[in-house]
Amino acid sequence: MIQSSNILYENVLRLAENDKSISPAIVKHYQAEAVFMRCLTYFFMIRLYGNVPYFTNAYNDKPLPRTSHIEIAKMCLKDLAAVKNDLPWTYDEPANRGVRAMRGSVVALMMHFNMWAAGFDTGNEQKYYQQADELGDELTQQGEQQNKAYELLPINRIKEIFQGRSRESLFEISNSVNYQGFVPANSRKMIPFYVLDGYTVRLNQDRENSEMAYIPQYIEKLYPEGEPDGRIAEWFDEANWKTGNGNSAFISS
């Protein structure tokens, strides 16, 4: 991913030299997307591995030493700041919203990098906190309020978030089984059995009910009796609410 991003950054300029229909604005747009994808990849890598090799040149074929994860965060912040304004807040074409880098995507990633660096760059925490706070203001005041690019959806429209490309999305990775997207064979078991182990109903070979149902006691803990909660009406199948029969986790979508 890093190599592909670096190649895109370099080659789009070469293409523009031979194709006059590719304007300087288009070049900057694609280069900004390349920088975002490279930095997003590094963000995942430093969280998993700490210090990793860092490079920005295309077609790199040299073995590289590890670079400090704090330095990588700083370099990514600098690179993202340089291209942030070359991306639109959102796209007119809804199919591109969220799945292509937008200015809000860059701002959010920069906030994450600042918070990561604040946890490790001892003595400079306040600087990173301040930058993250200012970026949050930019996202809210310019992206949401002035440009109307984003909005927090009301609870009765929450399904739009999971369907993807909603106005609440800043960045998402499109994944569809219809288009050969990566779907683990045991994906239906991964969330309840590995993340929520102990809170789910064990159904063994019973395939008539959901494997992702919560035990009634857990549901009662999350949503206490007698307290009005819009999530109950919007998220759950009322007929199977807290039944514990293997259907209580059905989302009403």
Side-chain angles (χ1 to χ4, degrees), residues 107-126:
V107 171
L109 182 57
M110 292 177 70
M111 293 173 71
H112 278 293
F113 270 121
N114 273 294
M115 295 305 293
W116 177 266
F120 296 95
D121 193 1
T122 305
N124 294 311
E125 300 91 342
Q126 289 304 317

Side-chain angles (χ1 to χ4, degrees), residues 143-144 148-154 157 160 166-169:
E144 180 185 1
K148 310 298 182 184
Y150 318 119
E151 66 174 317
L152 290 175
L153 300 181
R157 293 175 57 194
E160 296 178 29
S166 75
R167 286 173 57 83
E168 189 165 317
S169 175

Side-chain angles (χ1 to χ4, degrees), residues 1-6 33-50 52-55 72-73 76 80 109 113 171 173:
M1 188 67 244
I2 292 168
Q3 187 82 294
S4 297
S5 299
N6 293 340
E33 287 189 278
V35 170
F36 172 79
M37 293 306 301
R38 181 179 70 215
C39 291
L40 179 67
T41 306
Y42 269 118
F43 181 65
F44 280 106
M45 290 177 67
I46 63 175
R47 290 194 304 169
L48 285 169
Y49 307 115
V52 295
Y54 179 83
F55 66 100
I72 291 176
C76 285
L80 290 167
L109 182 57
F113 270 121
F171 184 72
I173 298 174

Side-chain angles (χ1 to χ4, degrees), residues 208-210 212-213 235-237 240 246-253:
E208 294 182 1
N209 296 313
S210 171
M212 297 181 67
W235 294 1
F236 291 91
D237 183 339
N240 297 305
N247 291 320
S248 61
F250 276 7
I251 305 300
S252 58
S253 60

Side-chain angles (χ1 to χ4, degrees), residues 142-183:
Q142 297 184 40
E144 180 185 1
Q145 298 173 3
Q146 295 179 21
N147 291 276
K148 310 298 182 184
Y150 318 119
E151 66 174 317
L152 290 175
L153 300 181
I155 196 168
N156 61 351
R157 293 175 57 194
I158 196 169
K159 297 174 189 176
E160 296 178 29
I161 299 173
F162 296 98
Q163 291 167 353
R165 299 175 171 86
S166 75
R167 286 173 57 83
E168 189 165 317
S169 175
L170 295 178
F171 184 72
E172 61 194 52
I173 298 174
S174 180
N175 189 1
S176 171
V177 67
N178 295 325
Y179 297 96
Q180 299 180 349
F182 173 71
V183 179

Side-chain angles (χ1 to χ4, degrees), residues 118-135:
F120 296 95
D121 193 1
T122 305
N124 294 311
E125 300 91 342
Q126 289 304 317
K127 175 185 69 174
Y128 297 115
Y129 292 144
Q130 180 65 31
Q131 290 175 357
D133 184 61
E134 291 173 357
L135 287 162

Side-chain angles (χ1 to χ4, degrees), residues 28 72 91 159 225 234:
K28 288 184 176 181
I72 291 176
Y91 294 96
K159 297 174 189 176
E225 291 282 358
E234 295 297 332

